[in-house]
Coordinates of all heavy atoms in Angstrom, one line a residue:
M1 N -38.3 -6.6 -27.5 CA -38.9 -6.7 -26.2 C -40.4 -7.1 -26.3 O -41.1 -6.6 -27.1 CB -38.7 -5.4 -25.5 CG -39.0 -5.5 -24.0 SD -38.7 -3.9 -23.2 CE -38.4 -4.4 -21.5
E2 N -40.7 -8.0 -25.4 CA -42.1 -8.4 -25.4 C -43.0 -7.3 -24.8 O -42.7 -6.6 -24.0 CB -42.3 -9.7 -24.5 CG -41.2 -10.7 -24.6 CD -40.0 -10.3 -23.6 OE1 -40.1 -9.3 -23.0 OE2 -39.1 -11.1 -23.6
R3 N -44.2 -7.3 -25.4 CA -45.2 -6.4 -24.9 C -45.8 -6.8 -23.6 O -46.2 -6.0 -22.8 CB -46.3 -6.3 -26.0 CG -46.9 -5.0 -26.3 CD -47.8 -5.1 -27.5 NE -48.8 -6.1 -27.4 CZ -50.0 -5.9 -26.8 NH1 -50.4 -4.8 -26.4 NH2 -50.9 -6.9 -26.7
V4 N -45.9 -8.1 -23.4 CA -46.5 -8.7 -22.2 C -45.6 -9.8 -21.7 O -45.0 -10.6 -22.4 CB -47.9 -9.3 -22.6 CG1 -48.4 -10.1 -21.4 CG2 -48.9 -8.2 -23.0
K5 N -45.4 -9.7 -20.4 CA -44.6 -10.7 -19.7 C -45.3 -11.5 -18.6 O -46.3 -11.0 -18.1 CB -43.4 -10.0 -19.0 CG -42.3 -9.5 -20.0 CD -41.1 -9.1 -19.2 CE -40.8 -7.7 -19.4 NZ -39.6 -7.3 -18.6
K6 N -44.8 -12.6 -18.3 CA -45.3 -13.4 -17.2 C -45.3 -12.5 -15.9 O -44.4 -11.8 -15.6 CB -44.5 -14.6 -16.9 CG -45.0 -15.5 -15.9 CD -44.1 -16.8 -15.8 CE -44.6 -17.6 -14.7 NZ -43.7 -18.8 -14.5
G7 N -46.4 -12.6 -15.2 CA -46.5 -11.8 -14.0 C -47.2 -10.4 -14.1 O -47.5 -9.7 -13.2
D8 N -47.3 -10.0 -15.4 CA -47.9 -8.7 -15.7 C -49.4 -8.7 -15.3 O -50.1 -9.8 -15.4 CB -47.9 -8.4 -17.2 CG -46.6 -7.8 -17.6 OD1 -45.7 -7.6 -16.8 OD2 -46.4 -7.7 -18.9
D9 N -49.9 -7.6 -14.9 CA -51.4 -7.4 -14.8 C -51.8 -6.9 -16.2 O -51.3 -6.0 -16.7 CB -51.7 -6.3 -13.8 CG -52.1 -6.9 -12.4 OD1 -52.3 -8.2 -12.4 OD2 -52.1 -6.2 -11.4
V10 N -52.8 -7.6 -16.7 CA -53.3 -7.2 -18.0 C -54.9 -7.1 -17.9 O -55.5 -7.6 -17.0 CB -53.0 -8.2 -19.1 CG1 -51.5 -8.2 -19.3 CG2 -53.5 -9.6 -18.8
V11 N -55.4 -6.3 -18.9 CA -56.8 -6.2 -19.0 C -57.2 -6.8 -20.4 O -56.6 -6.6 -21.4 CB -57.2 -4.7 -19.0 CG1 -58.7 -4.5 -19.1 CG2 -56.8 -4.1 -17.7
V12 N -58.3 -7.6 -20.3 CA -58.8 -8.2 -21.5 C -59.6 -7.2 -22.3 O -60.4 -6.5 -21.8 CB -59.6 -9.5 -21.2 CG1 -60.2 -10.1 -22.4 CG2 -58.9 -10.5 -20.3
R13 N -59.2 -7.2 -23.6 CA -59.8 -6.2 -24.5 C -61.2 -6.6 -25.1 O -62.0 -5.8 -25.3 CB -58.9 -5.9 -25.7 CG -57.8 -4.9 -25.4 CD -56.6 -5.1 -26.3 NE -57.0 -5.3 -27.7 CZ -56.9 -4.3 -28.6 NH1 -56.5 -3.1 -28.2 NH2 -57.3 -4.5 -29.8
S14 N -61.2 -7.9 -25.4 CA -62.4 -8.3 -26.2 C -62.8 -9.7 -25.8 O -62.1 -10.4 -25.1 CB -62.2 -8.2 -27.7 OG -61.0 -9.0 -28.0
G15 N -63.9 -10.1 -26.3 CA -64.4 -11.5 -26.0 C -65.2 -11.5 -24.8 O -65.6 -10.5 -24.3
K16 N -65.5 -12.7 -24.3 CA -66.5 -12.8 -23.2 C -65.9 -12.2 -21.9 O -66.7 -11.9 -21.0 CB -66.9 -14.3 -23.1 CG -65.8 -15.2 -22.7 CD -66.2 -16.6 -22.4 CE -65.0 -17.5 -22.2 NZ -65.2 -18.7 -21.6
D17 N -64.6 -12.1 -21.8 CA -64.0 -11.6 -20.6 C -63.6 -10.2 -20.7 O -62.7 -9.7 -20.0 CB -62.9 -12.5 -20.1 CG -63.3 -13.8 -19.6 OD1 -64.3 -13.8 -18.9 OD2 -62.7 -14.8 -20.0
A18 N -64.1 -9.4 -21.7 CA -63.7 -8.1 -21.9 C -63.8 -7.2 -20.7 O -64.8 -7.3 -19.9 CB -64.5 -7.4 -23.0
G19 N -62.7 -6.5 -20.4 CA -62.7 -5.7 -19.2 C -62.2 -6.3 -17.9 O -61.9 -5.7 -16.9
K20 N -62.0 -7.6 -18.0 CA -61.5 -8.4 -16.9 C -60.0 -8.1 -16.7 O -59.3 -8.0 -17.7 CB -61.7 -9.8 -17.1 CG -62.1 -10.6 -15.8 CD -62.4 -12.0 -16.1 CE -63.6 -12.6 -15.4 NZ -63.7 -14.0 -15.5
R21 N -59.6 -8.1 -15.4 CA -58.2 -7.9 -15.2 C -57.6 -9.1 -14.5 O -58.2 -9.8 -13.7 CB -58.0 -6.7 -14.2 CG -56.6 -6.2 -14.2 CD -56.7 -4.9 -13.3 NE -55.6 -4.9 -12.3 CZ -55.7 -4.2 -11.2 NH1 -56.7 -3.3 -11.0 NH2 -54.7 -4.2 -10.4
G22 N -56.4 -9.5 -14.9 CA -55.8 -10.7 -14.4 C -54.3 -10.7 -14.6 O -53.8 -9.9 -15.3
T23 N -53.7 -11.7 -13.9 CA -52.2 -11.8 -14.0 C -51.8 -12.8 -15.1 O -52.4 -13.8 -15.2 CB -51.7 -12.2 -12.6 OG1 -52.1 -11.3 -11.6 CG2 -50.1 -12.2 -12.6
V24 N -50.8 -12.5 -15.8 CA -50.3 -13.4 -16.9 C -49.6 -14.5 -16.2 O -48.7 -14.3 -15.4 CB -49.4 -12.6 -17.8 CG1 -48.8 -13.6 -18.8 CG2 -50.1 -11.5 -18.6
Q25 N -50.1 -15.7 -16.5 CA -49.5 -16.9 -15.9 C -48.5 -17.5 -16.8 O -47.5 -18.1 -16.3 CB -50.6 -17.9 -15.6 CG -51.6 -17.5 -14.6 CD -52.5 -18.6 -14.2 OE1 -53.0 -19.3 -15.0 NE2 -52.8 -18.7 -12.9
R26 N -48.7 -17.4 -18.1 CA -47.8 -18.0 -19.0 C -47.8 -17.2 -20.3 O -48.9 -16.7 -20.7 CB -48.3 -19.4 -19.3 CG -47.2 -20.5 -19.4 CD -47.6 -21.8 -18.8 NE -48.9 -22.3 -19.3 CZ -49.0 -23.1 -20.4 NH1 -47.9 -23.5 -21.0 NH2 -50.1 -23.5 -20.8
V27 N -46.7 -17.1 -21.0 CA -46.7 -16.5 -22.3 C -46.2 -17.6 -23.3 O -45.2 -18.3 -23.0 CB -45.7 -15.3 -22.4 CG1 -45.7 -14.7 -23.8 CG2 -46.0 -14.3 -21.3
L28 N -46.9 -17.7 -24.4 CA -46.5 -18.7 -25.4 C -46.1 -17.9 -26.6 O -46.9 -17.7 -27.5 CB -47.7 -19.6 -25.7 CG -48.4 -20.2 -24.5 CD1 -49.8 -20.8 -24.9 CD2 -47.6 -21.4 -23.9
P29 N -44.8 -17.5 -26.7 CA -44.4 -16.6 -27.7 C -44.5 -17.1 -29.1 O -44.8 -16.4 -30.0 CB -42.9 -16.4 -27.4 CG -42.6 -17.0 -26.1 CD -43.7 -18.0 -25.8
R30 N -44.3 -18.4 -29.2 CA -44.4 -19.0 -30.6 C -45.8 -18.9 -31.1 O -46.0 -18.8 -32.3 CB -43.9 -20.5 -30.5 CG -43.0 -20.8 -31.7 CD -42.6 -22.2 -31.6 NE -41.6 -22.5 -30.5 CZ -41.2 -23.7 -30.2 NH1 -41.7 -24.8 -30.8 NH2 -40.4 -23.9 -29.3
D31 N -46.8 -19.0 -30.3 CA -48.2 -19.0 -30.7 C -48.8 -17.6 -30.6 O -49.9 -17.4 -30.9 CB -49.0 -19.9 -29.8 CG -48.5 -21.4 -29.9 OD1 -48.0 -21.7 -31.0 OD2 -48.6 -22.1 -28.9
N32 N -48.0 -16.6 -30.0 CA -48.5 -15.3 -29.8 C -49.7 -15.4 -28.9 O -50.7 -14.7 -29.1 CB -48.9 -14.6 -31.1 CG -47.8 -13.7 -31.5 OD1 -47.3 -12.9 -30.7 ND2 -47.5 -13.8 -32.8
R33 N -49.6 -16.2 -27.8 CA -50.7 -16.4 -26.9 C -50.3 -16.2 -25.5 O -49.1 -16.4 -25.2 CB -51.3 -17.8 -27.1 CG -52.2 -17.8 -28.4 CD -52.6 -19.2 -28.7 NE -53.6 -19.0 -29.7 CZ -55.0 -19.0 -29.5 NH1 -55.4 -19.3 -28.3 NH2 -55.8 -18.9 -30.5
V34 N -51.2 -15.9 -24.6 CA -51.0 -15.8 -23.2 C -52.1 -16.5 -22.4 O -53.2 -16.6 -22.9 CB -50.9 -14.3 -22.7 CG1 -49.7 -13.6 -23.2 CG2 -52.2 -13.5 -23.2
V35 N -51.7 -16.9 -21.2 CA -52.7 -17.5 -20.3 C -52.8 -16.5 -19.2 O -51.9 -16.1 -18.5 CB -52.2 -18.9 -19.8 CG1 -53.2 -19.4 -18.8 CG2 -52.0 -19.8 -20.9
V36 N -54.1 -16.0 -19.0 CA -54.3 -15.0 -18.0 C -55.2 -15.6 -16.9 O -56.2 -16.3 -17.2 CB -55.1 -13.8 -18.6 CG1 -55.4 -12.8 -17.6 CG2 -54.2 -13.2 -19.7
A37 N -54.8 -15.4 -15.7 CA -55.6 -16.0 -14.6 C -57.0 -15.6 -14.6 O -57.4 -14.4 -14.8 CB -55.0 -15.6 -13.2
N38 N -57.9 -16.6 -14.5 CA -59.4 -16.4 -14.4 C -60.0 -15.7 -15.7 O -61.1 -15.2 -15.7 CB -59.7 -15.5 -13.2 CG -59.4 -16.2 -11.9 OD1 -59.7 -17.4 -11.8 ND2 -58.8 -15.5 -11.0
A39 N -59.3 -15.8 -16.8 CA -59.8 -15.3 -18.0 C -59.8 -16.4 -19.1 O -58.9 -17.3 -19.1 CB -59.0 -14.1 -18.5
N40 N -60.8 -16.3 -20.0 CA -60.9 -17.3 -21.0 C -61.0 -18.7 -20.4 O -60.4 -19.7 -20.9 CB -59.8 -17.2 -22.0 CG -60.1 -17.8 -23.3 OD1 -61.3 -17.8 -23.7 ND2 -59.1 -18.2 -24.1
M41 N -61.9 -18.9 -19.4 CA -62.0 -20.2 -18.8 C -62.8 -21.1 -19.7 O -63.7 -20.7 -20.3 CB -62.8 -20.0 -17.5 CG -62.2 -19.1 -16.4 SD -60.6 -19.6 -15.9 CE -61.1 -20.9 -14.8
V42 N -62.3 -22.3 -19.7 CA -63.0 -23.4 -20.5 C -63.3 -24.5 -19.6 O -62.6 -24.8 -18.6 CB -62.2 -23.8 -21.7 CG1 -62.1 -22.8 -22.8 CG2 -60.8 -24.3 -21.3
K43 N -64.4 -25.2 -19.9 CA -64.8 -26.4 -19.1 C -64.1 -27.6 -19.7 O -64.2 -27.8 -20.9 CB -66.3 -26.5 -19.0 CG -67.0 -25.5 -18.2 CD -68.4 -25.9 -17.9 CE -69.0 -25.0 -16.9 NZ -69.3 -23.7 -17.4
R44 N -63.6 -28.4 -18.9 CA -63.0 -29.6 -19.4 C -63.6 -30.8 -18.7 O -63.8 -30.8 -17.5 CB -61.5 -29.6 -19.2 CG -60.8 -28.6 -20.1 CD -59.3 -28.8 -19.9 NE -58.8 -29.9 -20.6 CZ -57.9 -30.8 -20.1 NH1 -57.4 -30.6 -18.9 NH2 -57.4 -31.8 -20.8
H45 N -64.0 -31.8 -19.5 CA -64.5 -33.0 -18.9 C -63.4 -33.9 -18.5 O -62.6 -34.3 -19.4 CB -65.5 -33.6 -19.8 CG -66.7 -32.8 -20.1 ND1 -67.8 -32.9 -19.5 CD2 -66.8 -31.7 -21.0 CE1 -68.7 -31.9 -19.9 NE2 -68.1 -31.2 -20.8
V46 N -63.3 -34.2 -17.3 CA -62.1 -35.0 -16.8 C -62.6 -36.4 -16.4 O -63.5 -36.5 -15.7 CB -61.4 -34.3 -15.6 CG1 -60.2 -35.0 -15.2 CG2 -61.1 -32.8 -16.0
R47 N -61.8 -37.3 -16.9 CA -62.1 -38.7 -16.5 C -61.4 -39.0 -15.2 O -60.3 -38.5 -14.9 CB -61.3 -39.6 -17.6 CG -62.0 -40.8 -18.0 CD -61.1 -41.4 -19.1 NE -61.8 -41.2 -20.4 CZ -62.5 -42.1 -20.9 NH1 -62.6 -43.3 -20.4 NH2 -63.1 -41.9 -22.1
P48 N -62.1 -39.7 -14.3 CA -61.5 -40.0 -13.0 C -60.3 -40.8 -13.2 O -60.3 -41.7 -14.0 CB -62.6 -40.8 -12.3 CG -63.8 -40.8 -13.1 CD -63.4 -40.3 -14.5
N49 N -59.2 -40.5 -12.4 CA -58.0 -41.3 -12.4 C -57.6 -41.4 -11.0 O -56.8 -40.6 -10.4 CB -57.0 -40.6 -13.3 CG -55.7 -41.4 -13.3 OD1 -55.5 -42.3 -12.6 ND2 -54.8 -41.0 -14.2
P50 N -58.0 -42.5 -10.4 CA -57.7 -42.7 -8.9 C -56.2 -42.8 -8.6 O -55.8 -42.3 -7.6 CB -58.4 -44.1 -8.6 CG -59.3 -44.3 -9.8 CD -58.7 -43.6 -11.0
Q51 N -55.5 -43.3 -9.6 CA -54.0 -43.4 -9.3 C -53.4 -42.0 -9.2 O -52.5 -41.8 -8.4 CB -53.3 -44.1 -10.5 CG -53.4 -45.6 -10.2 CD -52.7 -46.4 -11.3 OE1 -52.9 -46.0 -12.5 NE2 -52.1 -47.5 -11.0
A52 N -53.9 -41.1 -10.0 CA -53.3 -39.7 -9.9 C -54.1 -38.8 -8.9 O -53.9 -37.7 -8.8 CB -53.3 -39.1 -11.3
G53 N -55.1 -39.5 -8.3 CA -55.9 -38.7 -7.3 C -56.8 -37.7 -8.0 O -57.2 -36.7 -7.4
V54 N -57.2 -38.0 -9.2 CA -58.1 -37.0 -9.9 C -59.5 -37.5 -9.9 O -59.8 -38.6 -10.3 CB -57.6 -36.9 -11.4 CG1 -58.5 -35.9 -12.2 CG2 -56.2 -36.3 -11.5
A55 N -60.4 -36.6 -9.4 CA -61.8 -37.0 -9.4 C -62.3 -36.6 -10.8 O -61.9 -35.6 -11.4 CB -62.5 -36.2 -8.3
G56 N -63.3 -37.4 -11.3 CA -63.8 -37.1 -12.6 C -64.8 -35.9 -12.5 O -65.2 -35.5 -11.4
G57 N -65.2 -35.4 -13.6 CA -66.2 -34.4 -13.6 C -65.8 -33.3 -14.5 O -65.0 -33.4 -15.4
I58 N -66.4 -32.1 -14.3 CA -66.1 -30.9 -15.1 C -65.2 -30.0 -14.4 O -65.4 -29.6 -13.3 CB -67.4 -30.2 -15.5 CG1 -68.3 -31.2 -16.4 CG2 -67.1 -29.0 -16.3 CD1 -69.6 -30.7 -16.6
Q59 N -64.1 -29.7 -15.0 CA -63.1 -28.8 -14.4 C -63.0 -27.5 -15.2 O -63.1 -27.6 -16.5 CB -61.7 -29.4 -14.4 CG -61.3 -30.0 -13.1 CD -59.9 -30.6 -13.1 OE1 -59.2 -30.3 -14.0 NE2 -59.6 -31.5 -12.2
E60 N -62.8 -26.4 -14.6 CA -62.6 -25.2 -15.3 C -61.2 -24.8 -15.3 O -60.5 -24.9 -14.2 CB -63.5 -24.1 -14.7 CG -64.9 -24.2 -15.2 CD -65.6 -22.8 -15.1 OE1 -66.0 -22.4 -14.0 OE2 -65.7 -22.2 -16.1
R61 N -60.7 -24.4 -16.4 CA -59.3 -23.9 -16.4 C -59.1 -22.9 -17.5 O -59.9 -22.7 -18.4 CB -58.3 -25.1 -16.5 CG -58.5 -25.9 -17.8 CD -57.5 -27.0 -17.8 NE -56.2 -26.4 -18.2 CZ -55.1 -27.1 -18.4 NH1 -55.1 -28.4 -18.2 NH2 -54.0 -26.6 -18.8
E62 N -58.0 -22.2 -17.4 CA -57.7 -21.1 -18.3 C -57.2 -21.7 -19.6 O -56.4 -22.6 -19.6 CB -56.6 -20.2 -17.8 CG -57.0 -19.3 -16.6 CD -56.8 -20.0 -15.2 OE1 -56.3 -21.1 -15.2 OE2 -57.0 -19.3 -14.2
A63 N -57.7 -21.1 -20.7 CA -57.2 -21.5 -22.0 C -56.3 -20.3 -22.5 O -56.6 -19.2 -22.2 CB -58.3 -21.8 -23.0
P64 N -55.3 -20.6 -23.3 CA -54.5 -19.5 -23.9 C -55.4 -18.6 -24.8 O -56.3 -19.1 -25.4 CB -53.4 -20.3 -24.7 CG -53.4 -21.6 -24.2 CD -54.8 -21.9 -23.7
M65 N -55.1 -17.4 -24.7 CA -55.8 -16.4 -25.6 C -54.8 -15.6 -26.4 O -53.6 -15.5 -26.0 CB -56.7 -15.6 -24.8 CG -56.1 -14.8 -23.7 SD -57.4 -14.3 -22.5 CE -58.3 -13.2 -23.5
D66 N -55.3 -15.0 -27.4 CA -54.4 -14.2 -28.3 C -53.8 -13.0 -27.6 O -54.5 -12.3 -26.9 CB -55.2 -13.8 -29.5 CG -54.3 -13.6 -30.7 OD1 -54.1 -14.7 -31.4 OD2 -53.9 -12.5 -31.0
L67 N -52.5 -12.9 -27.8 CA -51.8 -11.7 -27.2 C -52.4 -10.4 -27.5 O -52.4 -9.5 -26.7 CB -50.4 -11.8 -27.7 CG -49.3 -11.0 -27.0 CD1 -49.3 -11.4 -25.5 CD2 -47.9 -11.3 -27.6
S68 N -53.0 -10.3 -28.7 CA -53.6 -9.0 -29.1 C -54.9 -8.7 -28.4 O -55.4 -7.6 -28.4 CB -53.9 -9.0 -30.6 OG -54.9 -10.0 -30.9
K69 N -55.4 -9.7 -27.6 CA -56.6 -9.5 -26.9 C -56.4 -8.9 -25.5 O -57.4 -8.7 -24.8 CB -57.4 -10.8 -26.8 CG -58.1 -11.1 -28.1 CD -59.2 -12.2 -27.8 CE -59.9 -12.5 -29.1 NZ -60.6 -13.7 -29.0
V70 N -55.2 -8.7 -25.1 CA -54.9 -8.2 -23.8 C -54.0 -6.9 -23.9 O -53.2 -6.8 -24.8 CB -54.2 -9.2 -22.8 CG1 -55.1 -10.4 -22.7 CG2 -52.8 -9.6 -23.3
N71 N -54.2 -6.0 -22.9 CA -53.4 -4.9 -22.8 C -52.8 -4.8 -21.4 O -53.6 -5.1 -20.5 CB -54.2 -3.6 -23.1 CG -54.3 -3.2 -24.5 OD1 -53.4 -3.6 -25.3 ND2 -55.2 -2.4 -24.9
P72 N -51.5 -4.5 -21.3 CA -51.0 -4.3 -20.0 C -51.8 -3.2 -19.2 O -52.2 -2.2 -19.7 CB -49.6 -3.8 -20.2 CG -49.2 -4.4 -21.6 CD -50.5 -4.3 -22.3
Y73 N -51.9 -3.5 -17.9 CA -52.6 -2.6 -17.0 C -51.7 -1.5 -16.5 O -50.6 -1.8 -16.1 CB -53.2 -3.4 -15.8 CG -53.8 -2.5 -14.8 CD1 -55.1 -2.0 -15.0 CD2 -53.2 -2.3 -13.6 CE1 -55.7 -1.2 -14.0 CE2 -53.8 -1.5 -12.6 CZ -55.0 -1.0 -12.8 OH -55.6 -0.2 -11.9
C74 N -52.1 -0.3 -16.6 CA -51.4 0.9 -16.1 C -52.0 1.3 -14.8 O -53.2 1.7 -14.8 CB -51.3 2.0 -17.1 SG -50.5 3.5 -16.5
R75 N -51.2 1.4 -13.7 CA -51.7 1.8 -12.4 C -52.2 3.2 -12.5 O -53.1 3.6 -11.8 CB -50.7 1.6 -11.4 CG -50.9 0.3 -10.6 CD -49.7 0.0 -9.6 NE -48.6 -0.5 -10.4 CZ -47.4 -0.7 -9.9 NH1 -47.1 -0.3 -8.7 NH2 -46.4 -1.2 -10.6
T76 N -51.4 4.0 -13.2 CA -51.7 5.5 -13.2 C -53.0 5.7 -13.9 O -53.8 6.5 -13.5 CB -50.5 6.2 -13.9 OG1 -49.3 5.8 -13.3 CG2 -50.7 7.7 -13.6
C77 N -53.2 5.1 -15.1 CA -54.4 5.3 -15.9 C -55.6 4.5 -15.4 O -56.7 4.7 -15.7 CB -54.1 5.0 -17.3 SG -52.8 5.9 -18.1
D78 N -55.3 3.5 -14.5 CA -56.3 2.5 -14.0 C -57.0 1.8 -15.2 O -58.2 1.7 -15.1 CB -57.2 3.2 -13.1 CG -58.1 2.2 -12.3 OD1 -57.6 1.1 -12.1 OD2 -59.2 2.6 -11.9
R79 N -56.3 1.5 -16.2 CA -57.0 0.7 -17.3 C -55.9 0.0 -18.1 O -54.7 0.3 -18.0 CB -57.9 1.6 -18.1 CG -57.2 2.7 -18.8 CD -58.2 3.6 -19.5 NE -57.5 4.7 -20.2 CZ -57.1 4.7 -21.4 NH1 -57.1 3.5 -22.1 NH2 -56.5 5.7 -22.0
G80 N -56.3 -0.8 -19.1 CA -55.4 -1.4 -20.0 C -54.9 -0.3 -21.0 O -55.7 0.5 -21.5
V81 N -53.7 -0.4 -21.3 CA -53.1 0.7 -22.2 C -52.2 0.1 -23.3 O -51.8 -1.0 -23.2 CB -52.3 1.7 -21.4 CG1 -53.2 2.5 -20.4 CG2 -51.1 1.0 -20.7
R82 N -52.0 1.0 -24.3 CA -51.0 0.6 -25.3 C -49.6 0.8 -24.8 O -49.4 1.7 -23.9 CB -51.3 1.4 -26.6 CG -52.6 1.0 -27.2 CD -52.6 1.4 -28.7 NE -52.4 2.9 -28.7 CZ -51.7 3.4 -29.7 NH1 -51.2 2.7 -30.7 NH2 -51.6 4.7 -29.8
V83 N -48.7 0.0 -25.2 CA -47.4 0.0 -24.7 C -46.3 0.5 -25.7 O -46.4 0.2 -26.9 CB -47.0 -1.4 -24.3 CG1 -45.5 -1.5 -23.8 CG2 -47.9 -1.9 -23.2
G84 N -45.4 1.3 -25.2 CA -44.3 1.8 -26.0 C -43.0 1.3 -25.3 O -43.0 0.9 -24.2
I85 N -41.9 1.3 -26.1 CA -40.7 0.9 -25.5 C -39.8 2.1 -25.5 O -39.7 2.9 -26.5 CB -40.0 -0.2 -26.4 CG1 -40.9 -1.4 -26.7 CG2 -38.6 -0.6 -25.8 CD1 -41.1 -2.3 -25.5
K86 N -39.1 2.3 -24.4 CA -38.3 3.5 -24.2 C -36.9 3.0 -23.8 O -36.7 2.1 -23.0 CB -38.8 4.4 -23.1 CG -38.1 5.7 -23.0 CD -38.9 6.5 -22.0 CE -38.0 7.5 -21.2 NZ -38.6 8.1 -20.1
T87 N -35.9 3.6 -24.4 CA -34.5 3.2 -24.0 C -34.0 4.2 -23.0 O -34.0 5.4 -23.3 CB -33.6 3.1 -25.2 OG1 -34.2 2.3 -26.2 CG2 -32.2 2.6 -24.9
L88 N -33.5 3.7 -21.9 CA -33.0 4.7 -20.8 C -31.6 5.1 -21.2 O -31.0 4.5 -22.1 CB -33.1 4.0 -19.5 CG -34.4 3.5 -19.0 CD1 -34.3 2.8 -17.7 CD2 -35.4 4.7 -18.9
E89 N -31.1 6.0 -20.4 CA -29.7 6.5 -20.6 C -28.7 5.4 -20.5 O -27.7 5.4 -21.2 CB -29.4 7.6 -19.7 CG -30.0 9.0 -20.1 CD -29.8 10.1 -19.1 OE1 -28.8 9.9 -18.3 OE2 -30.6 11.0 -19.1
D90 N -29.0 4.5 -19.6 CA -28.0 3.3 -19.5 C -28.3 2.2 -20.4 O -27.9 1.1 -20.3 CB -28.0 2.8 -18.0 CG -29.4 2.3 -17.6 OD1 -30.3 2.3 -18.4 OD2 -29.6 2.0 -16.4
R91 N -29.1 2.5 -21.4 CA -29.5 1.6 -22.5 C -30.4 0.5 -22.1 O -30.7 -0.4 -22.9 CB -28.2 1.0 -23.2 CG -27.3 2.0 -23.8 CD -26.5 1.5 -24.9 NE -25.8 2.5 -25.6 CZ -24.7 2.3 -26.3 NH1 -24.2 1.1 -26.4 NH2 -24.1 3.3 -26.9
R92 N -30.9 0.5 -20.9 CA -31.9 -0.5 -20.5 C -33.2 -0.1 -21.2 O -33.5 1.1 -21.4 CB -32.1 -0.5 -19.0 CG -31.2 -1.4 -18.3 CD -31.6 -1.6 -16.9 NE -31.9 -0.3 -16.2 CZ -32.9 -0.1 -15.4 NH1 -33.8 -1.0 -15.3 NH2 -33.1 1.1 -14.9
K93 N -34.0 -1.1 -21.6 CA -35.2 -0.8 -22.2 C -36.4 -1.0 -21.2 O -36.4 -2.0 -20.5 CB -35.4 -1.7 -23.4 CG -34.6 -1.3 -24.6 CD -34.8 -2.1 -25.8 CE -34.0 -1.6 -27.0 NZ -34.1 -2.5 -28.1
V94 N -37.3 -0.1 -21.2 CA -38.4 -0.3 -20.3 C -39.7 -0.1 -21.2 O -39.7 0.6 -22.2 CB -38.5 0.7 -19.1 CG1 -37.4 0.4 -18.2 CG2 -38.4 2.1 -19.6
R95 N -40.7 -0.7 -20.7 CA -42.0 -0.5 -21.4 C -42.7 0.7 -20.7 O -42.7 0.8 -19.5 CB -42.9 -1.8 -21.2 CG -42.2 -3.0 -21.9 CD -43.0 -4.2 -21.7 NE -43.0 -4.5 -20.2 CZ -43.8 -5.4 -19.7 NH1 -44.6 -6.1 -20.4 NH2 -43.7 -5.6 -18.4
I96 N -43.3 1.5 -21.5 CA -44.0 2.7 -21.0 C -45.4 2.7 -21.5 O -45.8 2.1 -22.5 CB -43.3 4.0 -21.4 CG1 -43.2 4.1 -22.9 CG2 -42.0 4.2 -20.7 CD1 -43.0 5.5 -23.4
C97 N -46.3 3.3 -20.7 CA -47.7 3.5 -21.0 C -47.7 4.6 -22.1 O -47.2 5.7 -21.9 CB -48.5 3.9 -19.8 SG -50.1 4.6 -20.1
R98 N -48.4 4.4 -23.2 CA -48.5 5.4 -24.2 C -49.4 6.5 -23.9 O -49.4 7.5 -24.5 CB -48.9 4.7 -25.5 CG -47.9 3.9 -26.2 CD -47.6 4.4 -27.6 NE -46.8 3.4 -28.3 CZ -47.2 2.9 -29.4 NH1 -48.3 3.3 -30.0 NH2 -46.5 2.0 -30.0
T99 N -50.2 6.3 -22.9 CA -51.2 7.3 -22.5 C -50.6 8.3 -21.6 O -50.6 9.5 -21.8 CB -52.4 6.6 -21.9 OG1 -52.9 5.7 -22.8 CG2 -53.5 7.7 -21.6
C100 N -49.9 7.8 -20.5 CA -49.4 8.7 -19.5 C -47.9 8.8 -19.5 O -47.3 9.7 -18.8 CB -50.0 8.4 -18.1 SG -49.3 6.8 -17.5
G101 N -47.2 7.9 -20.2 CA -45.8 7.9 -20.2 C -45.1 7.3 -19.1 O -43.9 7.2 -19.0
E102 N -45.9 6.8 -18.1 CA -45.3 6.1 -16.9 C -44.6 4.8 -17.3 O -45.1 4.1 -18.2 CB -46.3 5.8 -15.9 CG -46.7 7.0 -15.1 CD -45.6 7.5 -14.2 OE1 -44.9 6.7 -13.5 OE2 -45.5 8.8 -14.1
S103 N -43.5 4.4 -16.7 CA -42.9 3.1 -16.9 C -43.8 2.0 -16.4 O -44.4 2.1 -15.3 CB -41.5 3.1 -16.2 OG -41.0 1.8 -16.3
L104 N -43.9 0.9 -17.1 CA -44.6 -0.2 -16.6 C -43.7 -1.3 -16.0 O -44.2 -2.2 -15.4 CB -45.4 -0.9 -17.8 CG -46.4 0.0 -18.5 CD1 -47.0 -0.7 -19.7 CD2 -47.5 0.4 -17.5
D105 N -42.4 -1.1 -16.2 CA -41.4 -2.0 -15.5 C -40.8 -1.2 -14.4 O -40.3 -0.1 -14.5 CB -40.3 -2.3 -16.5 CG -40.9 -3.2 -17.7 OD1 -41.4 -4.2 -17.4 OD2 -40.7 -2.7 -18.8
S106 N -40.9 -1.8 -13.2 CA -40.3 -1.1 -12.0 C -38.9 -1.5 -11.8 O -38.5 -2.5 -12.3 CB -41.2 -1.3 -10.8 OG -41.7 -2.7 -10.8
Ligands
ZN201 ZN1 -50.8 5.2 -18.0

């Protein structure tokens, strides 16, 4: 089971966006990377392309970041936490917060 899924709220652990909270937009399992909204923004110089309706200039967009740099956000703890996996009685697996034990999957 993945530690982080698309749509999760995560907190950035390190780097220039440390402490920032955002929603996972994309998971790249093969690269062990995630794209988090408004985190790890990079500037891209864009060439104008009138046919595609793209104005030239500098655009900011999210770059993938290492999965290990984010922690799922726990509402109960109000911070990024380490995740454990728990198997329920009906054998479903849920992710739990290792700090408070609350389920992170509703
Ligand atoms: Zn918690």
